Amino acid sequence: MKYYDAIVIGAGQAGTPLAKKLAGSGLKTALIEKRWLGGTCVNDGCSPTKTMIASAKAAWSVEHNKSLGVDSGNAKIDFRKILERKNDVVKKMRSGLEKGVSETENLDLIEGEASFTSEKEIIITLKTGGTEVASAEMFFINTGEKPSIPDIDGISDIDYLTSTTIMDLEEIPEHLLVLGSGYIGMEFGQMFRRFGSKVTILEPSKRILKREDNDIAEEITKILGAEDVIIETETKAVAFEKKSGHILVTIEKKGEKSSLSCSHILVATGRKPQSEALNLNAAGIETDEKGYIKVNDRLETSAKDIYAMGDVKGGPAFTHISYDDYRILVENIIEKGNASIKNRILPYCMFIDPQLGRVGITEQEAKKQGLDIKVAVLKNESVARCIETGDERGIMKAVIDAKTGKILGASVLAEAGGEVVTILQMVMMGGITYEQIKDCVIAHPTYAESLNNLFMTLDQ
Ligand SMILES: Cc1cc2nc3c(=O)[nH]c(=O)nc-3n(C[C@H](O)[C@H](O)[C@H](O)COP(=O)(O)OP(=O)(O)OC[C@H]3O[C@@H](n4cnc5c(N)ncnc54)[C@H](O)[C@@H]3O)c2cc1C
Ligand SMILES: NC(=O)c1ccc[n+]([C@@H]2O[C@H](COP(=O)([O-])OP(=O)(O)OC[C@H]3O[C@@H](n4cnc5c(N)ncnc54)[C@H](O)[C@@H]3O)[C@@H](O)[C@H]2O)c1
């Protein structure tokens, strides 16, 4: 048996930097990873998708540029090159992490799957075969999530794709049917449409992107509709059948059944925690009914000296949240501070084009909470920068506390929406009021300048 001061299970967005930091502080540390360093973000999530989305944007621009007076013919998609570039980006990022970990003193990387045998001990099923037992004073769990596959008649008989396997496809699907209109469904749907696939998105709910405001969802539906992405709401797939060369899907819309044929299916119906293999009961670690590890505001689990970080603890599943969990644990464990995840402002960006940058509360959520709010809304067709660059798609809005004038949340559906919303995030952090932004001198004609105009709408 090997003895450590700290064992980190899962080399995701929190696990890898935390293992390095713990080892750097003098603690004998082990990092256990069953697959690859970098976890979902680097290998299957943010980086590979955003690399491919950049290619899809380039393809779209070829056509769009014609409206700007630049005609470079028709876009020719070299899918092999797109995949090669994506693989190179992933490899480069992953090898940077491998180098960092291997050069860290006091840190052992053990490649295998960890499972608790008691509160202080784990067994690791090694990648190379065999097992190893290790014990530690402290454990940090960062095992992330994996795609959740709905139980639909015939699904196990078809070769459905997930967000992981779709990135290794060597051909562009002729007709991609996407189940689910969350971030994954929307990003891949638009991307493959731009590569030339026919794309149909099925969403059982009344509308797409339930967490977002209705006007934002409607605008996105319009934008994707203009690119011929077919979105069917209140529609679900109820059966699949493999036919020669295609998949026959029985769909149900408001109780009416019909069928459609497609070449590929992407299941993007949500993700579930990777907590089963951990045998959490053996360590007395409590989970919720879905298997997410329960933590308090300091990321402590129900078991003493065992912490959970990132997606596996439930809540918003984003790289920057997992990374912030790492920061909180460093502050509390190494620097003996008292950091908490309470009242953390939540920003995120959905990388459809134009991007949906989001921060804080939505209008629908504010109304649900009965807050006294003002809402500022501006269409991009009246933003100088958008008019000049020839891309007037989208809308921006902010939710404001009616009494204090402070910003509670914002949605920016625009080119560089993720960047513009970050300005509002900093405004929120600084407690700046909307009147101050309205009257702030901002360089003309930038996207940021539209924030003057957004808040001017409240004077009208
Ligand atoms: C297609 C896609 C696109 C995304 N795009 C974005 C984006 O643009 N922006 C954004 O902020 N977020 C994005 N996300 C979400 C983001 O990837 C995750 O929130 C982020 O990676 C944080 O994950 P994590 O640190 O909790 O764990 P992960 O990164 O998932 O890492 C967990 C690691 O633990 C390992 N592991 C699991 N169980 C065990 C075990 N028992 N023993 C040893 N190792 C184990 C896994 O192999 C994995 O390497 C995307 C996700 C997907 C799927
Ligand atoms: N840009 C980003 O930050 C980004 C990008 C991709 C993924 N992510 C992360 O990954 C997580 C998972 O994304 P996701 O899109 O898989 O999940 P999601 O929870 O965002 O969306 C899933 C969608 O599938 C629908 N659905 C459920 N069951 C269905 C069924 N049987 N058939 C059809 N539709 C069904 C749901 O109604 C929902 O709209 C996100 O919550 C996000 O945190 C982030």
Side-chain angles (χ1 to χ4, degrees):
M1 170 143 70
K2 286 190 173 166
Y3 297 90
Y4 292 96
D5 296 314
I7 291 182
V8 178
I9 306 174
Q13 291 311 298
T16 312
L18 182 67
K20 285 169 65 183
K21 207 66 171 195
L22 291 167
S25 75
L27 297 174
K28 191 166 160 42
T29 306
L31 174 61
I32 323 290
E33 171 53 52
K34 68 172 180 174
R35 213 165 147 240
W36 294 311
L37 292 186
T40 308
C41 176
V42 167
N43 299 291
D44 315 295
C46 326
S47 302
T49 53
K50 272 75 232 185
T51 303
M52 292 175 78
I53 282 171
S55 300
K57 171 88 189 232
W60 175 83
S61 299
V62 171
E63 205 47 47
H64 173 69
N65 286 346
K66 289 177 186 163
S67 67
L68 304 182
V70 180
D71 188 343
S72 52
N74 295 326
K76 266 204 235 140
I77 307 293
D78 186 343
F79 200 53
R80 184 194 291 255
K81 195 160 183 179
I82 290 169
L83 289 186
E84 268 172 24
R85 195 179 85 86
K86 181 264 293 177
N87 291 339
D88 285 349
V89 167
V90 171
K91 213 163 133 193
K92 193 172 165 193
M93 290 184 173
R94 197 162 64 213
S95 53
L97 292 171
E98 286 163 355
K99 188 168 180 285
V101 166
S102 68
E103 288 173 356
T104 304
E105 268 180 49
N106 274 337
L107 178 59
D108 288 350
L109 171 65
I110 305 177
E111 293 185 287
E113 186 171 57
S115 184
F116 283 94
T117 50
S118 76
E119 217 174 282
K120 295 280 175 223
E121 200 178 280
I122 53 169
I123 183 162
I124 306 142
T125 307
L126 299 170
K127 245 180 172 179
T128 49
T131 57
E132 196 169 303
V133 176
S135 81
E137 293 306 314
M138 290 183 286
F139 286 91
F140 301 88
I141 306 170
N142 180 223
T143 51
E145 291 179 301
K146 62 180 177 187
S148 157
I149 309 300
D151 184 16
I152 300 175
D153 197 18
I155 196 161
S156 51
D157 303 329
I158 56 163
D159 300 322
Y160 62 83
L161 300 162
T162 65
S163 59
T164 307
T165 55
I166 197 170
M167 277 182 286
D168 291 325
L169 268 188
E170 286 180 359
E171 78 278 16
I172 297 169
E174 185 193 319
H175 181 186
L176 178 66
L177 181 74
V178 181
L179 305 187
S181 72
Y183 310 84
I184 292 181
M186 303 308 274
E187 288 183 359
F188 277 111
Q190 187 185 43
M191 179 208 294
F192 275 100
R193 177 71 202 115
R194 288 178 168 194
F195 289 152
S197 301
K198 176 179 176 185
V199 172
T200 307
I201 300 177
L202 301 188
E203 171 56 54
S205 307
K206 275 209 162 112
R207 66 172 176 87
I208 61 162
L209 298 165
K210 286 163 289 185
R211 289 186 211 110
E212 308 304 337
D213 284 338
N214 196 31
D215 48 358
I216 297 289
E218 271 178 11
E219 195 67 23
I220 291 174
T221 304
K222 209 168 78 190
I223 289 168
L224 293 187
E227 294 188 35
D228 295 328
V229 174
I230 302 159
I231 300 177
E232 297 285 358
T233 52
E234 294 182 83
T235 308
K236 57 185 180 189
V238 291
F240 300 108
E241 200 183 329
K242 218 171 178 174
K243 291 269 173 185
S244 50
H246 67 278
I247 303 162
L248 191 66
V249 187
T250 307
I251 59 173
E252 196 179 303
K253 189 173 183 121
K254 297 181 186 170
E256 298 258 317
K257 282 191 180 158
S258 59
S259 61
L260 68 79
S261 161
C262 65
S263 61
H264 294 75
I265 290 178
L266 169 65
V267 180
T269 54
R271 291 167 62 77
K272 61 178 186 186
Q274 299 206 82
S275 57
E276 236 175 81
L278 289 168
N279 192 27
L280 296 169
N281 276 340
I285 302 167
E286 285 176 19
T287 63
D288 68 11
E289 66 290 348
K290 289 184 177 156
Y292 288 102
I293 298 176
K294 287 186 186 171
V295 291
N296 63 16
D297 293 341
R298 292 167 52 90
L299 301 171
E300 293 161 340
T301 69
S302 54
K304 194 172 175 301
D305 297 325
I306 303 185
Y307 304 80
M309 323 167 275
D311 295 1
V312 77
K313 71 178 197 306
F318 298 105
T319 281
H320 41 278
I321 293 298
S322 183
Y323 188 79
D324 194 58
D325 289 350
Y326 144 73
R327 183 195 62 77
I328 283 167
L329 286 177
V330 168
E331 196 170 324
N332 291 351
I333 309 276
I334 300 177
E335 294 156 12
K336 309 292 176 211
N338 192 21
S340 152
I341 60 171
K342 215 170 162 186
N343 300 327
R344 181 159 61 180
I345 295 178
L346 175 66
Y348 56 90
C349 179
M350 180 167 71
F351 288 84
I352 52 165
D353 171 44
Q355 296 171 1
L356 174 63
R358 281 272 301 108
V359 68
I361 205 165
T362 55
E363 181 182 1
Q364 66 183 13
E365 185 55 35
K367 285 186 172 155
K368 209 164 116 193
Q369 289 183 22
L371 302 180
D372 185 12
I373 54 165
K374 288 185 194 183
V375 180
V377 182
L378 182 73
K379 290 206 164 209
N380 292 350
E381 61 198 28
S382 55
V383 172
R385 181 80 190 148
C386 296
I387 298 167
E388 289 150 4
T389 56
D391 187 359
E392 298 169 21
R393 299 170 303 158
I395 179 175
M396 55 186 77
K397 67 187 288 191
V399 180
I400 298 144
D401 184 313
K403 281 196 194 77
T404 63
K406 289 185 181 163
I407 317 288
L408 302 175
S411 306
V412 181
L413 178 64
E415 172 80 36
E419 316 296 331
V420 175
V421 94
T422 307
I423 299 172
L424 290 174
Q425 181 186 349
M426 299 195 183
V427 163
M428 287 166 74
M429 287 171 73
I432 295 170
T433 65
Y434 83 89
E435 283 102 340
Q436 286 173 288
I437 304 300
K438 186 187 73 177
D439 297 336
C440 172
V441 183
I442 302 175
H444 174 75
T446 57
Y447 289 114
E449 188 199 24
S450 61
L451 296 177
N452 286 156
N453 308 70
L454 172 63
F455 295 118
M456 274 177 208
T457 61
L458 292 171
D459 294 341
Q460 287 156 14

